[in-house]
Amino acid sequence: MLQQQDEMSFWEHLETLRWTLFRCVIALIVFAIGAFISMYELFDSVILAPTRSDFILYRALCKLTAAIPFMPDFCDDTYLVNIFNVKLASPFFFHMSTSFWLALLFTFPYLVYEIWKFISPALYDHERKNIRWAFFFGTIMFFIGCAVGYFFVFPMTLRFLATYRLSDAIAEQVSLESYIDTFVMMIFLMGIIFEMPLISWLLSKLGLLTRSFFNKYRRYAIAGLLVLAAFITPGSDPFTLGTVFFPLYGLYELSAFFVKKAPKDDDEETGTEIVKA
């Protein structure tokens, strides 16, 4: 059954949307101010942490690969990416923009809750139950993706690109703008990529996607994911490529698992079972 809020007029719905957006903006502003105040500590200890050899990923990979000869060397204590700034006002503007991105990251669960609270009155009881779990699952997957982006994908990409040598005459330094842009893009890109199972499930509920799609295009997906993994971590060693490819392929199979089968698929499977019998 629909709740009584469904009987509201258009202007009442518009007023509800206005207050929903207002609360979202206020939450973003509050968290952005908090991030802005804490940025001096966060910038050195969190954002710039992958530029140093003592980053948690490098230390873990050093212990993991030290005994294997053909693995890349992660035990270089002299590794350090030098960040420089060219434009006079860039530090201040990046201070503000990074505060906003951090606020968006930290308020994501609350924003999802506000969206859920706005659309839930228009749903039936069984739809409300399914969508509630979908939002919860999507939020968790988003944070897992962001964590993978921060703790693995971005550091591996940075380490390869920062240590790549075209000529010894070129001093290897990274601009502040390039670093921050890549940092934000990688983390939020992985967060969005990890939403693939949820998006597939929603498209399946709308009747736009079935499991046969994943079965039909699996080989093309494997090739595409290999290219994407090579683009994200452009290293030449199979270890780095594999550690990015396999989680992405796991997301593909997880998406296929959450998508319902087409009726003809069920008929074909039933027919196959009858023939076998």
Side-chain angles (χ1 to χ4, degrees), residues 62-87:
C62 175
K63 296 179 181 179
L64 181 65
T65 62
I68 306 177
F70 59 85
M71 289 295 186
D73 181 21
F74 292 96
C75 300
D76 183 11
D77 293 334
T78 62
Y79 173 75
L80 179 65
V81 178
N82 295 313
I83 308 295
F84 72 95
N85 175 55
V86 176
K87 299 179 181 179

Side-chain angles (χ1 to χ4, degrees), residues 51-72:
T51 65
R52 299 185 293 268
S53 61
D54 60 350
F55 186 61
I56 183 172
L57 174 69
Y58 307 147
R59 289 189 280 110
L61 291 178
C62 175
K63 296 179 181 179
L64 181 65
T65 62
I68 306 177
F70 59 85
M71 289 295 186

